[in-house]
């Protein structure tokens, strides 16, 4: 593995954990180090850090709060 690729991985522990969960990326990065940008994208998807995933998660939380508010209103009545 090239030193620049190794440095990027060393500075980002989440990428290292992603690679440990998906070992095929070791081969990809060894053969084609320019794929480091792809691993960054894949790791974001894997950990749910993309914008659509975060919006969906926020929406689920809002929906749950709304449900709790309705439940509290029903209990109060």
């Amino acid at each position: 593995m090239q030193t620049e690729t190794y440095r990027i991985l060393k500075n980002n522990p989440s990428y290292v954990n992603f690679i440990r969960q998906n070992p095929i990326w070791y081969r990809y990065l060894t053969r084609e180090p320019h794929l480091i940008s792809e691993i960054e994208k894949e790791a974001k998807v894997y950990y749910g850090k993309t914008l659509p995933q975060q919006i969906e998660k926020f929406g689920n939380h809002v929906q749950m709060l709304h449900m709790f508010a309705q439940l509290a209103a029903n209990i109060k009545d």
Side-chain angles (χ1 to χ4, degrees), residues 14-19 21-22 24-25 28-29 35-50 53:
S14 62
Y15 297 162
V16 174
N17 289 332
F18 174 74
I19 290 174
Q21 296 294 322
N22 302 286
I24 190 73
W25 280 99
Y28 292 155
L29 290 176
L35 291 177
I36 193 72
S37 60
E38 291 297 318
I39 200 167
E40 293 169 355
K41 293 175 190 174
E42 291 291 326
K44 283 183 181 181
V45 171
Y46 182 77
Y47 289 116
K49 295 188 177 189
T50 62
Q53 289 172 320

